[in-house]
Amino acid sequence: MTAVPHASRPARPVDPVLLSRALETAGRLANDAAEVITATLGHEHARSVKANPFDWVTDTDRTLERHTRRVLAADFPGCPVVGEEYGADTGAATAAMRWVVDPVDGTANYVAGLPWCAYSLALVDADGPVVGVVADPGRGQIYAAARGRGFRANGVPVPAPRSVGLAGSLVCAEDPEPGFLRRCRSAHAGVRVLGSAALAITQVALGHAVAATLEHYHEWDVAGALCLATEAGALVLGRDGRAAPMPEGGMLVVAPQAAAEVAALWQD
């Protein structure tokens, strides 16, 4: 039996001065990262693999994360950082707030020269992302959001996505299982695999896709984009249909009007 999507309790407010400072620092770092990624896309030669031959890490990943950590240490001393390349600072798991960074989300695309890769940074508390930025160099966009302050693209407020259902819409799916693909096709929806969790979720925030599904993810893959999506009004659901900041066992980020329909296909 398919669970009915449930909304979460409202996230706690955050000091507005802290929000402004965090947005300013995160925006600067996103701009720095966008310049580096644009200049080196498809030209990265110093690279290696981690868990398997398709799990790339490059000098750009390491350089951008080191730069991010240096700036955050200066601007937010004592606030721990969790990053894909260098792990978690001491105390990150129990800190009231932590920064979470993925220097290049979609590294395989980046190495191949495919411009579907992103820089993602978020400030996270117990209720989820407080501030989030996603740099999308391929489209020349810096997306930013803060809790209760809405969602902006290159500094311009993004209007709320228009209300649409699943039929005739796109679903972004990372590591989709074949049954979900078939069910989406039967519901007259298109499925796109972008190779970047951050950009997949961002498409929901922008209204380009009605939903994004992730079967496996790390916090750094999604934290920045989740701030964008929730400020745009999207729901973040787990397999049980309940809302959670970062649900275990898979994640559905979905426009509210399509939540029940997409969740039924995803949970089946």
Side-chain angles (χ1 to χ4, degrees):
M1 181 176 178
T2 300
V4 176
H6 295 270
S8 61
R9 62 180 174 81
R12 286 165 286 193
V14 178
D15 175 23
V17 175
L18 173 63
L19 284 181
S20 295
R21 287 182 55 230
L23 270 172
E24 194 277 331
T25 296
R28 283 192 287 115
L29 285 166
N31 276 287
D32 292 345
E35 290 182 2
V36 172
I37 292 171
T38 299
T40 57
L41 179 71
H43 301 290
E44 175 70 52
H45 300 294
R47 64 199 191 205
S48 57
V49 297
K50 294 185 281 189
N52 61 67
F54 199 65
D55 188 11
W56 293 105
V57 59
T58 71
D59 275 356
T60 299
D61 292 276
R62 298 187 183 100
T63 298
L64 287 177
E65 185 166 326
R66 288 196 299 267
H67 174 63
T68 297
R69 287 174 177 271
R70 283 194 298 268
V71 171
L72 294 178
D75 288 7
F76 291 85
C79 188
V81 178
V82 179
E84 180 175 16
E85 307 308 333
Y86 295 104
D89 289 344
T90 301
T94 56
M97 287 190 175
R98 63 190 179 278
W99 287 99
V100 181
V101 59
D102 190 343
V104 183
D105 182 60
T107 304
N109 288 348
Y110 168 77
V111 169
L114 186 66
W116 278 99
C117 52
Y119 170 87
S120 174
L121 178 65
L123 182 63
V124 177
D125 69 5
D127 292 331
V130 171
V131 164
V133 296
V134 172
D136 180 359
R139 272 139 293 283
Q141 295 288 327
I142 304 292
Y143 303 111
R147 186 178 294 167
R149 292 196 179 184
F151 166 35
R152 292 175 179 262
N154 287 349
V156 178
V158 177
R162 63 188 179 89
S163 180
V164 296
L166 177 60
S169 297
L170 291 177
V171 174
C172 293
E174 298 298 305
D175 299 317
E177 52 92 14
F180 178 67
L181 295 177
R182 290 194 299 270
R183 292 189 291 274
C184 283
R185 283 196 294 267
S186 296
H188 307 291
V191 177
R192 299 293 182 266
V193 180
L194 304 183
S196 166
L199 291 182
I201 294 170
T202 299
Q203 304 318 301
V204 181
L206 292 166
H208 297 162
V210 75
T213 65
L214 292 89
E215 304 306 316
H216 311 283
Y217 67 90
H218 298 284
E219 182 180 37
W220 52 75
D221 298 323
V222 300
L226 286 177
C227 192
L228 311 180
T230 54
E231 284 300 305
L235 301 178
V236 182
L237 307 175
R239 287 284 183 185
D240 60 0
R242 295 187 177 277
M246 292 183 201
E248 297 181 2
M251 174 190 294
L252 170 64
V253 183
V254 60
Q257 64 273 11
E261 190 175 6
V262 180
L265 298 182
W266 186 55
Q267 294 163 349
D268 195 340

